[in-house]
Amino acid sequence: MLTGCGGDDEPATDPPPTVPDLTLPQTDETQPAPRTETQTETAPPEPTETVPPPETNGGTTAPKPAPPTDSPQNDAPPPQDTPAERFEEYCNENPGACG
């Protein structure tokens, strides 16, 4: 025998409540919902002038110019302590090895 929350030995006299059948309305999902917005004209925002802070002197620094291209006409040395520098040193010391 089942007992209820009350702790007594009498069976419940009311039957359990029934759950109602729920249904969702069917809609045609391919049609967009009607818009309720009203068309109003708005003026475009006025442009604002951006002034840089005084410590930048009015702009950014110019980019560093690119180093000249290394070519037979312009032999630009490689950066120090790099494999390219060691290779050039080797080729200078052994001209027949580097062709």
Side-chain angles (χ1 to χ4, degrees):
M1 176 160 109
L2 296 175
T3 58
C5 294
D8 57 5
D9 291 335
E10 294 180 25
T13 58
D14 295 332
T18 58
V19 178
D21 290 331
L22 299 177
T23 58
L24 297 174
Q26 296 295 321
T27 60
D28 187 7
E29 294 181 18
T30 59
Q31 293 181 351
R35 301 189 100 182
T36 57
E37 297 176 12
T38 58
Q39 297 288 335
T40 58
E41 288 187 32
T42 57
E46 292 185 29
T48 57
E49 184 177 335
T50 304
V51 178
E55 61 269 4
T56 63
N57 290 331
T60 60
T61 58
K64 293 181 181 179
T69 304
D70 190 22
S71 66
Q73 294 79 21
N74 180 36
D75 188 22
Q80 291 183 338
D81 297 327
T82 62
E85 181 189 38
R86 290 188 289 276
F87 177 76
E88 280 202 9
E89 286 177 5
Y90 176 80
C91 288
N92 289 338
E93 293 170 1
N94 304 295
C98 297

PDB file of all heavy atoms in Angstrom, residues 51-59:
ATOM      1  N   VAL A  51      40.783  65.231 -32.717  1.00  0.00           N
ATOM      2  CA  VAL A  51      42.035  65.946 -32.485  1.00  0.00           C
ATOM      3  C   VAL A  51      42.937  65.041 -31.653  1.00  0.00           C
ATOM      4  O   VAL A  51      42.537  64.578 -30.593  1.00  0.00           O
ATOM      5  CB  VAL A  51      41.769  67.278 -31.749  1.00  0.00           C
ATOM      6  CG1 VAL A  51      43.065  67.999 -31.465  1.00  0.00           C
ATOM      7  CG2 VAL A  51      40.812  68.144 -32.547  1.00  0.00           C
ATOM      8  N   PRO A  52      44.169  64.776 -32.150  1.00  0.00           N
ATOM      9  CA  PRO A  52      45.053  63.911 -31.374  1.00  0.00           C
ATOM     10  C   PRO A  52      45.525  64.620 -30.115  1.00  0.00           C
ATOM     11  O   PRO A  52      45.547  65.842 -30.050  1.00  0.00           O
ATOM     12  CB  PRO A  52      46.222  63.636 -32.326  1.00  0.00           C
ATOM     13  CG  PRO A  52      46.198  64.772 -33.286  1.00  0.00           C
ATOM     14  CD  PRO A  52      44.766  65.214 -33.392  1.00  0.00           C
ATOM     15  N   PRO A  53      45.903  63.858 -29.117  1.00  0.00           N
ATOM     16  CA  PRO A  53      46.414  64.473 -27.899  1.00  0.00           C
ATOM     17  C   PRO A  53      47.680  65.267 -28.204  1.00  0.00           C
ATOM     18  O   PRO A  53      48.409  64.953 -29.139  1.00  0.00           O
ATOM     19  CB  PRO A  53      46.720  63.300 -26.970  1.00  0.00           C
ATOM     20  CG  PRO A  53      46.244  62.075 -27.658  1.00  0.00           C
ATOM     21  CD  PRO A  53      45.830  62.427 -29.027  1.00  0.00           C
ATOM     22  N   PRO A  54      47.971  66.306 -27.437  1.00  0.00           N
ATOM     23  CA  PRO A  54      49.106  67.162 -27.755  1.00  0.00           C
ATOM     24  C   PRO A  54      50.455  66.460 -27.703  1.00  0.00           C
ATOM     25  O   PRO A  54      51.382  66.847 -28.382  1.00  0.00           O
ATOM     26  CB  PRO A  54      49.036  68.276 -26.708  1.00  0.00           C
ATOM     27  CG  PRO A  54      48.068  67.831 -25.685  1.00  0.00           C
ATOM     28  CD  PRO A  54      47.228  66.759 -26.285  1.00  0.00           C
ATOM     29  N   GLU A  55      50.598  65.382 -26.927  1.00  0.00           N
ATOM     30  CA  GLU A  55      51.906  64.750 -26.814  1.00  0.00           C
ATOM     31  C   GLU A  55      52.309  63.992 -28.074  1.00  0.00           C
ATOM     32  O   GLU A  55      53.435  63.566 -28.212  1.00  0.00           O
ATOM     33  CB  GLU A  55      51.975  63.828 -25.589  1.00  0.00           C
ATOM     34  CG  GLU A  55      50.996  62.681 -25.599  1.00  0.00           C
ATOM     35  CD  GLU A  55      49.682  63.010 -24.923  1.00  0.00           C
ATOM     36  OE1 GLU A  55      49.463  64.149 -24.495  1.00  0.00           O
ATOM     37  OE2 GLU A  55      48.851  62.111 -24.826  1.00  0.00           O
ATOM     38  N   THR A  56      51.381  63.766 -29.037  1.00  0.00           N
ATOM     39  CA  THR A  56      51.756  63.049 -30.250  1.00  0.00           C
ATOM     40  C   THR A  56      52.169  63.982 -31.370  1.00  0.00           C
ATOM     41  O   THR A  56      52.527  63.524 -32.443  1.00  0.00           O
ATOM     42  CB  THR A  56      50.578  62.178 -30.738  1.00  0.00           C
ATOM     43  OG1 THR A  56      49.492  63.029 -31.075  1.00  0.00           O
ATOM     44  CG2 THR A  56      50.180  61.143 -29.714  1.00  0.00           C
ATOM     45  N   ASN A  57      52.105  65.274 -31.150  1.00  0.00           N
ATOM     46  CA  ASN A  57      52.462  66.257 -32.174  1.00  0.00           C
ATOM     47  C   ASN A  57      51.648  66.091 -33.444  1.00  0.00           C
ATOM     48  O   ASN A  57      52.131  66.310 -34.533  1.00  0.00           O
ATOM     49  CB  ASN A  57      53.962  66.217 -32.485  1.00  0.00           C
ATOM     50  CG  ASN A  57      54.790  66.738 -31.345  1.00  0.00           C
ATOM     51  OD1 ASN A  57      54.333  67.592 -30.585  1.00  0.00           O
ATOM     52  ND2 ASN A  57      55.998  66.237 -31.194  1.00  0.00           N
ATOM     53  N   GLY A  58      50.419  65.653 -33.331  1.00  0.00           N
ATOM     54  CA  GLY A  58      49.502  65.647 -34.473  1.00  0.00           C
ATOM     55  C   GLY A  58      49.544  64.436 -35.365  1.00  0.00           C
ATOM     56  O   GLY A  58      48.985  64.464 -36.441  1.00  0.00           O
ATOM     57  N   GLY A  59      50.172  63.370 -35.009  1.00  0.00           N
ATOM     58  CA  GLY A  59      50.133  62.209 -35.894  1.00  0.00           C
ATOM     59  C   GLY A  59      51.052  61.107 -35.435  1.00  0.00           C
ATOM     60  O   GLY A  59      51.603  61.132 -34.342  1.00  0.00           O
TER      61      GLY A  59
END
